[in-house]
C-alpha cells in the first residue's frame, strides 16, 4: 500500500483546495448572493476563528511595522477614527456602521468612544453573531438592512461609517446617495474601501482584467470603483459641504494579506476544530488572498479612504 507522507498529503490538500476554488466561484448575482455568502462564512465560524471579530484589513503604520494580526485590525478602527476627526466628538454621538459584519468596529466605537452605534448588515447570521458578541452594557445594536435602500429616515445619524462594504454594492451611485441621505446636516461620513486603479486614465490590460475578474467572482463583488470615481459619486449627491477628502492606505494595510494566510499556519488547532473539510475550505481562499496581495502590491487595487461632511 502506498501511504502518503505528511508533506505529500499537505500538498495534496492544497491541490484539492485550489480545485475547489476554481470549481466553486461565488459570483455576484444579487444582494441575496452576498447575504448567503456571509451567512455561510458566519455559520461555519472559520472566518471568525482566523480573522477574529474584525472582518477587515489591519493597519500596520507608515512605514509598516510588524504587528499581531488581530491587533492591527483593532488599530485600524482607532486610526480611522483619528483620520476622520471623530475622536473630537462627544459621548452619545450617533453612528450608523454600514456593513458592520459581526460588530467588531461597532463595539469599539461604542465602548472606547461612547458613541451610540447602530450596525447594519445584509446577513441575518452576522446580526445574530454580533448580538451574541456584544455585552449589554455596550451601546451597540444590530439589524438586517440593505445599504442600497436604508430603512432610516433622512438626517438620522451624526456619523455614517463603512469599512470594506462598497465592493459588494452593485449601484455605487445609489450607495453614495444613501450614505449621505441618512447623515445629519454637518454630520461626518467616513468610508474605507477596496478600490481598483482608475482605468479611465490607465486602462486595464488583458492580465489585469483577468485578475480583476477573479477578485470579483470569488468574493461576491459586482464591481470595484476607483478612489476618484467614488469621490465623484459622493460629490454628485449635492449633499457634500466643501470637498470630499480622500487618502490611500494601501501601504498601511498591505501586510494583512500575507498575515491572513499565516494565521492558518499559526493556528493549527483550526484543523482539529473544523476538520479536513474546513481546512480545504480555508485553503480555497488562499488563491484569492494571494491575488489580492498582488493586485494591491502592484497598484491594480488601492485601499481608499473617504471623508465627507454633509451640507447644512
Amino acid at each position: 500500500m502506498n501511504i502518503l507522507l505528511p508533506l505529500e498529503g499537505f500538498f495534496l490538500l492544497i491541490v484539492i483546495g485550489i480545485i475547489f476554488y476554481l470549481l466553486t466561484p461565488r459570483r455576484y448575482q444579487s444582494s441575496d448572493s452576498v447575504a448567503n455568502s456571509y451567512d455561510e462564512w458566519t455559520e461555519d465560524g472559520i472566518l471568525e476563528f482566523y480573522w477574529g471579530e474584525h472582518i477587515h484589513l489591519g493597519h500596520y503604520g507608515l512605514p509598516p511595522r510588524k504587528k499581531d494580526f488581530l491587533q492591527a485590525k483593532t488599530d485600524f478602527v482607532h486610526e480611522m477614527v483619528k483620520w476622520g476627526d471623530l475622536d473630537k466628538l462627544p459621548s452619545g454621538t450617533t453612528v450608523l456602521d454600514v456593513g458592520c459584519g459581526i460588530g467588531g468596529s461597532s463595539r469599539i466605537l461604542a465602548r472606547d468612544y461612547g458613541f451610540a452605534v447602530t450596525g447594519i448588515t445584509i446577513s441575518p447570521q452576522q446580526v445574530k453573531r454580533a448580538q451574541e458578541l456584544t455585552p449589554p452594557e455596550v451601546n451597540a445594536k444590530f439589524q438586517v438592512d440593505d445599504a442600497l435602500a436604508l430603512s432610516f429616515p433622512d438626517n438620522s445619524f451624526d456619523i455614517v461609517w463603512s469599512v470594506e462594504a462598497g465592493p459588494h454594492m452593485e449601484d455605487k451611485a445609489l450607495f453614495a446617495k444613501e450614505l449621505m441621505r441618512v447623515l445629519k446636516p454637518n454630520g461626518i461620513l467616513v468610508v474605507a474601501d477596496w478600490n481598483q486603479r482608475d482605468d479611465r486614465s490607465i486602462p486595464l490590460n488583458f492580465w489585469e482584467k483577468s485578475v480583476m475578474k477573479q477578485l470579483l467572482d470569488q468574493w461576491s463583488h459586482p464591481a470595484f470603483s476607483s478612489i476618484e470615481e467614488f469621490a465623484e459619486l459622493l460629490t454628485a449627491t449635492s449633499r457634500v459641504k466643501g470637498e470630499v477628502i480622500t487618502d490611500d492606505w494601501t501601504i498601511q494595510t498591505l501586510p494583512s494579506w500575507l498575515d491572513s494566510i499565516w494565521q492558518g499556519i499559526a493556528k493549527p488547532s483550526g484543523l482539529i476544530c473544523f476538520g479536513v473539510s474546513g481546512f480545504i475550505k480555508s485553503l480555497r481562499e488562499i488563491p484569492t488572498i494571494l491575488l489580492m496581495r498582488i493586485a494591491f502590491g502592484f497598484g491594480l487595487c488601492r485601499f481608499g479612504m473617504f471623508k465627507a461632511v454633509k451640507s447644512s
Side-chain angles (χ1 to χ4, degrees), residues 187-200:
I188 302 173
L189 170 72
V190 280
V191 174
D193 255 339
W194 301 345
N195 301 97
Q196 74 171 48
R197 187 183 73 227
D198 190 353
D199 58 6
R200 296 172 300 181

Side-chain angles (χ1 to χ4, degrees), residues 3 22 46 61 105 118 135 144 168 171 179 228 232 239 253 260:
I3 300 176
L22 292 172
I46 296 174
S105 296
T118 300
V144 176
H168 291 301
D171 189 332
L179 295 178
E228 295 80 3
E232 291 167 9
R239 296 174 182 262
T253 57
S260 66

Side-chain angles (χ1 to χ4, degrees), residues 15 26 34 38 40 44 56 67 75 80 100 115 137 141 144 152 159 163 192 195 198 215 233 282 293 295 301 309:
V15 170
R26 301 189 191 99
V34 177
Y38 278 105
E40 180 183 337
D44 63 32
H56 58 71
K67 279 188 183 182
D75 291 349
M80 186 166 166
C100 65
F115 297 156
E137 67 272 14
K141 58 184 180 180
V144 176
F152 308 98
I159 299 170
V163 179
N195 301 97
D198 190 353
L215 298 185
L233 291 175
S282 300
R293 173 60 180 82
C301 287
V309 177

Side-chain angles (χ1 to χ4, degrees), residues 219-284:
W219 283 351
S220 295
H221 297 141
F224 291 154
S225 64
S226 68
I227 293 175
E228 295 80 3
E229 286 172 324
F230 192 64
E232 291 167 9
L233 291 175
L234 288 171
T235 301
T237 65
S238 301
R239 296 174 182 262
V240 176
K241 178 189 292 187
E243 296 182 353
V244 176
I245 298 170
T246 64
D247 202 354
D248 187 335
W249 279 13
T250 302
I251 295 174
Q252 294 94 316
T253 57
L254 193 60
S256 294
W257 298 111
L258 295 185
D259 269 5
S260 66
I261 295 175
W262 176 252
Q263 294 304 298
I265 300 171
K267 295 182 176 180
S269 57
L271 185 57
I272 299 173
C273 293
F274 304 108
V276 173
S277 62
F279 183 63
I280 292 173
K281 287 180 73 174
S282 300
L283 288 176
R284 181 218 180 283

Side-chain angles (χ1 to χ4, degrees), residues 2-293:
N2 180 26
I3 300 176
L4 289 174
L5 296 173
L7 185 60
E8 293 173 318
F10 177 74
F11 282 117
L12 176 60
L13 286 174
I14 289 178
V15 170
I16 293 172
I18 291 174
I19 292 172
F20 189 29
Y21 158 84
L22 292 172
L23 295 179
T24 58
R26 301 189 191 99
R27 295 187 181 94
Y28 178 89
Q29 297 172 332
S30 68
S31 59
D32 288 340
S33 62
V34 177
N36 292 338
S37 292
Y38 278 105
D39 279 347
E40 180 183 337
W41 287 327
T42 305
E43 283 180 302
D44 63 32
I46 296 174
L47 187 59
E48 183 180 343
F49 178 82
Y50 290 112
W51 278 51
E53 61 181 291
H54 298 281
I55 309 173
H56 58 71
L57 302 189
H59 192 286
Y60 291 77
L62 190 65
R65 60 188 182 278
K66 186 174 178 58
K67 279 188 183 182
D68 174 78
F69 180 62
L70 299 183
Q71 183 61 49
K73 291 167 172 286
T74 298
D75 291 349
F76 180 95
V77 179
H78 293 296
E79 291 293 335
M80 186 166 166
V81 167
K82 288 191 292 186
W83 184 81
D85 293 321
L86 308 183
D87 51 342
K88 300 179 177 64
L89 299 177
S91 178
T93 294
T94 56
V95 180
L96 178 67
D97 183 357
V98 179
C100 65
I102 58 175
S105 296
S106 295
R107 284 186 287 277
I108 289 178
L109 293 172
R111 184 184 61 240
D112 295 357
Y113 298 95
F115 297 156
V117 184
T118 300
I120 65 136
T121 168
I122 204 165
S123 162
Q125 289 301 320
Q126 284 190 328
V127 168
K128 180 175 179 288
R129 185 59 180 148
Q131 291 169 338
E132 292 170 348
L133 291 171
T134 304
E137 67 272 14
V138 174
N139 191 6
K141 58 184 180 180
F142 304 93
Q143 66 184 62
V144 176
D145 210 345
D146 185 348
L148 298 182
L150 292 169
S151 61
F152 308 98
D154 296 358
N155 310 323
S156 292
F157 297 93
D158 300 307
I159 299 170
V160 173
W161 166 288
S162 182
V163 179
E164 298 176 14
H168 291 301
M169 306 301 163
E170 185 172 21
D171 189 332
K172 312 296 186 191
L174 182 56
F175 181 49
K177 288 177 182 177
E178 282 294 277
L179 295 178
M180 296 304 297
R181 179 184 68 78
V182 299
L183 191 61
K184 292 180 181 179
N186 297 309
I188 302 173
L189 170 72
V190 280
V191 174
D193 255 339
W194 301 345
N195 301 97
Q196 74 171 48
R197 187 183 73 227
D198 190 353
D199 58 6
R200 296 172 300 181
S201 54
I202 307 177
L204 305 187
N205 62 36
F206 172 79
W207 296 109
E208 290 173 328
K209 289 179 181 178
S210 299
V211 170
M212 289 304 304
K213 184 178 187 306
Q214 284 300 312
L215 298 185
L216 295 175
D217 286 352
Q218 294 300 332
W219 283 351
S220 295
H221 297 141
F224 291 154
S225 64
S226 68
I227 293 175
E228 295 80 3
E229 286 172 324
F230 192 64
E232 291 167 9
L233 291 175
L234 288 171
T235 301
T237 65
S238 301
R239 296 174 182 262
V240 176
K241 178 189 292 187
E243 296 182 353
V244 176
I245 298 170
T246 64
D247 202 354
D248 187 335
W249 279 13
T250 302
I251 295 174
Q252 294 94 316
T253 57
L254 193 60
S256 294
W257 298 111
L258 295 185
D259 269 5
S260 66
I261 295 175
W262 176 252
Q263 294 304 298
I265 300 171
K267 295 182 176 180
S269 57
L271 185 57
I272 299 173
C273 293
F274 304 108
V276 173
S277 62
F279 183 63
I280 292 173
K281 287 180 73 174
S282 300
L283 288 176
R284 181 218 180 283
E285 308 303 337
I286 290 178
T288 305
I289 293 172
L290 289 175
L291 281 178
M292 283 288 191
R293 173 60 180 82

